[in-house]
Amino acid sequence: MKINVYKPWGSGQLFLPSVSILDRYLIQEIIPPFVFGVGLFSSVALTVGTVFDLVRQVAESGMAVSIAVQIFLLKMPEFIVLAFPMAMILSALMVYGRLSSDSELIALRSCGISLYRLLIPTLIFSFLITGLTFGFNEVIVPAANYRASITYEQALNEGQLPIQEDNIFYPEYDKIEIEGTDKKISRLVRLFYAEKFDRGQMLEVTILDRSQPDLTQIISSKSANWNFAQNTWDFFNGTIYIVNPDGSYRNIVRFDHKQIQLSRTPLDLASQKRGFDEMNIAQAQDYLKLMKLSGDQQRIVKTKVRIQQKYALPFSCVVFALLGVALGSRPQSTSRATSFGISVMVIFGYYLLSFVTGALGQKEILTPFFAAWLPTFLGIGIASFLLVRASK
């Protein structure tokens, strides 16, 4: 990039950066195929992921066409964002493949311009798309997906809010020491289960309470509400079974209404339930705090992996840009069909690797950080290797 000197009116000088003709040329070449790729990949993904299901609901369940269109529009941001990295590799392959097949790369390199210098405009553009992807995923996509989910459920339930959650399951754990060792193991101290959560009310609640070493309580109740004024649970129409350590019943108590001091976390889990694609990073962090309160290690690890993936996903744009430049710069003719085929293979391989590493992270074979970022690191490493070979 050159630094040109501009002389403003009056005395003095002002130094402003200007984009070289080469940079403008490459960026102007990249933008049209990138826009084409976004439209292509997002429309294909949207059709497969949403349109078929909406058409089936309109035909079989009587969903209104206007509601189906609304859901379709709400789901569009998610698939557009998914198309950004895919379009990045397609545009890079098409542009640099055409430059290579037309011998423009040879002409530029004969003038002393290296492949690394030709990479800079595309790399800068990919970082801009990375920022755009991150912004979409944080601000627009979670809210749109959540609204689409609510609209979909309301339409299937004839305009009424459905029961928000079924099978609320909340275990509480505590660490206990193993006698004769310094090791600690997790011990279940309380288990909260409700069949349904309907507009703030838990229905058909069962609680297993093992918090006291020599006593076990089983609480069964038709319903339970959280008492915000007293920060406790109000249980209605239930029975408390008190069990001795040998398994025999010590006492049975029936009640119409009883207040019990328990954690509010089951209410938070049920009322704030969202899929990971309906949460931004801040909401996922809040959900992680709730999981830590429950002590459910499997869900804690899964949430940590998903949070790291939210950070890592936008940088796939950079990975695909580097791979596109490296593969497109090879001295051979590359048609649009070939570019599309290569793009599909690279995209499939990258997301397959992401799925595998994510699963390994949830199994705690990899840390959440490496589970999310390993495909990015490997992609950058492979692209760097190919760029070094192509530059020779």
Side-chain angles (χ1 to χ4, degrees):
M1 183 177 294
K2 300 184 297 181
I3 300 295
N4 289 345
V5 179
Y6 294 88
K7 295 183 179 180
W9 292 352
S11 60
Q13 292 181 336
L14 177 65
F15 293 90
L16 294 174
S18 67
V19 180
S20 68
I21 296 176
L22 176 61
D23 292 334
R24 288 201 301 270
Y25 173 69
L26 289 174
I27 292 175
Q28 289 172 358
E29 289 289 309
I30 289 172
I31 290 177
F34 176 80
V35 174
F36 167 77
V38 170
L40 174 64
F41 287 115
S42 60
S43 61
V44 171
L46 191 59
T47 300
V48 175
T50 299
V51 172
F52 288 158
D53 181 60
L54 291 177
V55 170
R56 181 175 61 84
Q57 294 298 340
V58 170
E60 298 179 3
S61 301
M63 179 185 289
V65 175
S66 60
I67 297 298
V69 172
Q70 183 181 352
I71 296 172
F72 172 82
L73 294 176
L74 287 169
K75 295 294 291 184
M76 281 185 66
E78 177 185 10
F79 292 99
I80 291 174
V81 168
L82 287 175
F84 282 166
M86 303 178 189
M88 195 70 249
I89 188 173
L90 178 63
S91 59
L93 274 169
M94 292 178 64
V95 170
Y96 286 83
R98 187 193 63 77
L99 293 176
S100 177
S101 62
D102 292 349
S103 300
E104 291 186 37
L105 282 181
I106 297 175
L108 290 169
R109 295 177 68 176
S110 66
C111 297
I113 301 175
S114 68
L115 180 61
Y116 304 118
R117 174 62 184 84
L118 296 172
L119 169 66
I120 291 176
T122 302
L123 189 61
I124 293 174
F125 183 74
S126 70
F127 274 109
L128 292 175
I129 300 302
T130 296
L132 184 63
T133 302
F134 187 83
F136 261 73
N137 280 335
E138 282 298 287
V139 179
I140 299 175
V141 173
N145 281 347
Y146 183 65
R147 186 59 195 166
S149 177
I150 294 298
T151 304
Y152 186 87
E153 291 181 1
Q154 286 180 327
L156 295 183
N157 287 272
E158 299 180 353
Q160 300 295 322
L161 276 174
I163 291 175
Q164 297 182 18
E165 185 66 15
D166 294 336
N167 298 319
I168 294 85
F169 180 84
Y170 172 69
E172 290 186 38
Y173 296 88
D174 192 13
K175 295 288 186 180
I176 61 171
E177 292 186 1
I178 302 177
E179 294 183 4
T181 67
D182 295 332
K183 295 182 179 179
K184 291 185 177 182
I185 61 173
S186 294
R187 174 179 176 271
L188 180 69
V189 295
R190 189 175 291 109
L191 179 63
F192 184 106
Y193 173 77
E195 287 188 5
K196 298 181 184 298
F197 175 72
D198 186 6
R199 291 174 285 277
Q201 187 177 50
M202 297 288 184
L203 303 177
E204 301 298 333
V205 181
T206 302
I207 298 173
L208 174 65
D209 189 345
R210 303 174 65 235
S211 57
Q212 301 181 41
D214 298 327
L215 187 67
T216 298
Q217 293 187 88
I218 301 174
I219 304 171
S220 177
S221 176
K222 287 294 183 181
S223 63
N225 297 327
W226 176 256
N227 190 323
F228 288 91
Q230 301 183 24
N231 289 325
T232 187
W233 283 95
D234 288 330
F235 289 84
F236 302 94
N237 301 322
T239 305
I240 299 177
Y241 302 91
I242 301 176
V243 184
N244 289 316
D246 61 3
S248 62
Y249 286 116
R250 177 185 298 185
N251 197 8
I252 298 177
V253 179
R254 301 185 186 278
F255 61 86
D256 294 326
H257 171 232
K258 187 174 183 61
Q259 289 188 329
I260 301 177
Q261 294 287 342
L262 295 173
S263 170
R264 176 183 161 171
T265 307
L267 174 67
D268 295 333
L269 285 173
S271 60
Q272 299 177 14
K273 183 69 174 178
R274 291 188 179 203
F276 284 104
D277 60 343
E278 298 170 357
M279 292 187 285
N280 57 28
I281 292 175
Q283 292 167 332
Q285 292 283 6
D286 291 338
Y287 181 75
L288 177 60
K289 293 178 182 177
L290 294 176
M291 292 298 99
K292 288 181 177 178
L293 290 175
S294 73
D296 190 337
Q297 185 62 21
Q298 184 177 1
R299 297 180 75 177
I300 290 172
V301 172
K302 181 178 180 179
T303 306
K304 287 182 177 179
V305 171
R306 293 300 182 89
I307 290 173
Q308 288 296 326
Q309 287 177 334
K310 287 180 179 293
Y311 284 111
L313 177 63
F315 286 91
S316 60
C317 297
V318 177
V319 175
F320 286 164
L322 294 173
L323 288 171
V325 173
L327 295 173
S329 300
R330 295 176 302 170
Q332 63 181 31
S333 177
T334 304
S335 64
R336 289 189 176 184
T338 304
S339 298
F340 180 78
I342 295 174
S343 300
V344 170
M345 288 189 293
V346 173
I347 291 165
F348 177 79
Y350 182 88
Y351 284 111
L352 177 61
L353 179 61
S354 297
F355 175 80
V356 172
T357 57
L360 292 176
Q362 294 181 34
K363 293 293 184 181
E364 298 188 71
I365 298 174
L366 296 176
T367 64
F369 177 83
F370 279 105
W373 288 93
L374 187 58
T376 300
F377 295 151
L378 287 177
I380 291 176
I382 294 172
S384 300
F385 172 76
L386 294 175
L387 282 170
V388 171
R389 290 191 59 182
S391 65
K392 294 180 180 180

